[in-house]
Amino acid sequence: MSKGFLLVISGPSGCGKGTVSKELLSRNEDIIYSVSATTRKPRVGESDGLNYFFIEEEKFKNMAKADEFLEYALVHNNYYGTPKEFVLEEVDKGEIVLLEIDVQGAMQVKENYPEAVFIFLLPPTMSELRNRIIKRGTETEEDINRRFTNAFKELEFVDEYDYFVINDKLDEAVKNIESIITAEKLKVKRHNNIREKIIS
Amino acid sequence: MSKGFLLVISGPSGCGKGTVSKELLSRNEDIIYSVSATTRKPRVGESDGLNYFFIEEEKFKNMAKADEFLEYALVHNNYYGTPKEFVLEEVDKGEIVLLEIDVQGAMQVKENYPEAVFIFLLPPTMSELRNRIIKRGTETEEDINRRFTNAFKELEFVDEYDYFVINDKLDEAVKNIESIITAEKLKVKRHNNIREKIIS
């Protein structure tokens, strides 16, 4: 019986972790997406258990106190968190669970669950990162500068990760992550009784 | 500047490590083959520095005493060993050096150079392993049984390795090793100043 693992794809805003994760999931239907819990109200088209687990603030706080999140954060008055139970159950079943998350969140996960596999997604250059932040088009000049400065600082955390992948071309970045997944699956430590399986 | 690594491909006799290594090298011209030193005389067609470093017994023994081998062994009155200097120099230059070696040798390498990447090559089944040992056709029934018993015992060492690859189909085994190489190259620990490279 082989154990799965939690794959954390992270990086500064503008590194393209959302796009890369989406493409990775669409090419690998066996990878399970880690669904976050949130106290925010569902938007039109969002469904419980698929986009988020929508829960009440009191329940969220109780779960946080009971140490039931791998990480959580308060963003614009709403809580968001990664329920531990869901991830651990799937990993135990041998599944690969993908968590796409910002650098702060990833560092919380590392603290609580260091056995996860941590990938830092990098922009090819800082000017490309700035272009990507600008291209979102929904932010003021001030927001853009703030995001860019944060991204710059967040790059320091790359040394806390297991792997880095440069997201220059999407296809190449996804293939590199697929190689990391293949290699991690072949790690002896994730398998019990390899010898017995060959012998029998 | 990124560091390379020593890739040790190992496994019991009959697992196909020779065939797999040859195919891996032919598909990846940037991988450097670790040339062994030996006190055996060159055979017709063998050239010094390509097939082996052919050296005198006295020199070999002095090198062994000076701890200049990653591993060595005496086989049929001839010494064979992996010169440390060659491997470490190439690794420092950022190269990937391939060492194909039996289980005893790999365990010596692990003792002397644990930072190498260790892959254990497995036969799909024990009966297939027996077939492969028989197919060599150069051995007596007694030799075959001895090899088979040894292979059986050597499987216990799989837990000492980083990765395992089942050599059922050659192409698949080579691709899995290529994924391991790709992933190992993307390890943060093999790179200095990732952040600085992106910033500049």
Side-chain angles (χ1 to χ4, degrees), chain B residues 31-66:
Chain B
I31 298 177
I32 289 170
Y33 180 71
S34 168
V35 178
S36 297
T38 184
T39 58
R40 144 164 109 53
K41 297 285 162 276
R43 292 179 190 145
V44 176
E46 284 183 342
S47 56
D48 188 52
L50 188 66
N51 305 93
Y52 287 97
F53 296 112
F54 295 101
I55 60 180
E56 296 300 321
E57 188 164 324
E58 203 191 326
K59 190 181 173 192
F60 196 104
K61 285 181 173 171
N62 286 337
M63 283 177 71
K65 270 182 216 153

Side-chain angles (χ1 to χ4, degrees), chain A:
Chain A
M1 173 60 191
S2 90
K3 275 192 80 176
F5 53 89
L6 175 64
L7 183 75
V8 178
I9 296 187
S10 174
S13 75
C15 73
K17 55 186 179 295
T19 312
V20 166
S21 297
K22 217 168 167 177
E23 185 64 20
L24 184 69
L25 287 168
S26 82
R27 293 191 199 176
N28 299 273
E29 292 187 352
D30 50 335
I31 298 177
I32 289 169
Y33 180 71
S34 168
V35 178
S36 296
T38 183
T39 58
R40 150 166 103 54
K41 297 286 162 275
R43 290 177 191 148
V44 177
E46 285 183 344
S47 56
D48 189 52
L50 187 66
N51 305 92
Y52 287 98
F53 295 112
F54 295 100
I55 61 180
E56 297 298 320
E57 190 166 322
E58 202 192 323
K59 190 182 172 190
F60 195 104
K61 285 182 175 171
N62 287 336
M63 283 176 72
K65 271 182 217 157
D67 203 25
E68 291 176 16
F69 290 114
L70 288 178
E71 58 75 38
Y72 71 93
L74 182 66
V75 184
H76 303 311
N77 274 329
N78 291 307
Y79 284 98
Y80 295 83
T82 304
K84 197 186 276 183
E85 195 185 358
F86 174 82
V87 171
L88 300 193
E89 274 181 9
E90 295 297 331
V91 165
D92 272 345
K93 280 193 257 169
E95 302 293 347
I96 294 159
V97 182
L98 170 65
L99 176 62
E100 177 226 324
I101 194 163
D102 62 21
V103 175
Q104 283 69 30
M107 290 301 94
Q108 272 192 59
V109 175
K110 202 187 169 192
E111 181 91 18
N112 293 321
Y113 190 57
E115 51 271 64
V117 175
F118 295 87
I119 299 179
F120 196 93
L121 209 62
L122 285 162
T125 61
M126 289 311 279
S127 64
E128 175 57 24
L129 182 75
R130 199 177 165 86
N131 288 341
R132 289 183 192 173
I133 293 174
I134 292 170
K135 261 188 202 156
R136 301 181 166 200
T138 50
E139 280 146 310
T140 64
E141 182 75 19
E142 200 189 317
D143 281 339
I144 289 166
N145 286 335
R146 191 180 40 75
R147 271 187 192 274
F148 186 72
T149 309
N150 281 344
F152 198 82
K153 284 183 203 154
E154 283 171 354
L155 287 180
E156 283 191 25
F157 288 89
V158 63
D159 292 333
E160 302 293 322
Y161 288 68
D162 300 307
Y163 301 97
F164 72 98
V165 169
I166 295 176
N167 182 22
D168 189 2
K169 297 195 173 85
L170 178 64
D171 178 61
E172 220 171 275
V174 171
K175 277 184 182 153
N176 277 331
I177 294 172
E178 286 171 340
S179 287
I180 291 168
I181 293 171
T182 299
E184 287 287 335
K185 280 182 180 173
L186 294 169
K187 280 198 170 165
V188 169
K189 68 171 182 183
R190 300 200 191 284
H191 296 257
N192 293 324
N193 310 322
I194 295 173
R195 183 172 174 267
E196 283 63 31
K197 262 178 266 174
I198 301 297
I199 291 175
S200 68

Side-chain angles (χ1 to χ4, degrees), chain B residues 20 26 40 88 115 124 128 149 154 158 160 178 180-181 186:
Chain B
V20 165
S26 81
R40 144 164 109 53
L88 299 195
E115 51 271 64
E128 175 58 22
T149 309
E154 283 171 353
V158 64
E160 303 292 322
E178 287 171 339
I180 291 168
I181 293 170
L186 294 170

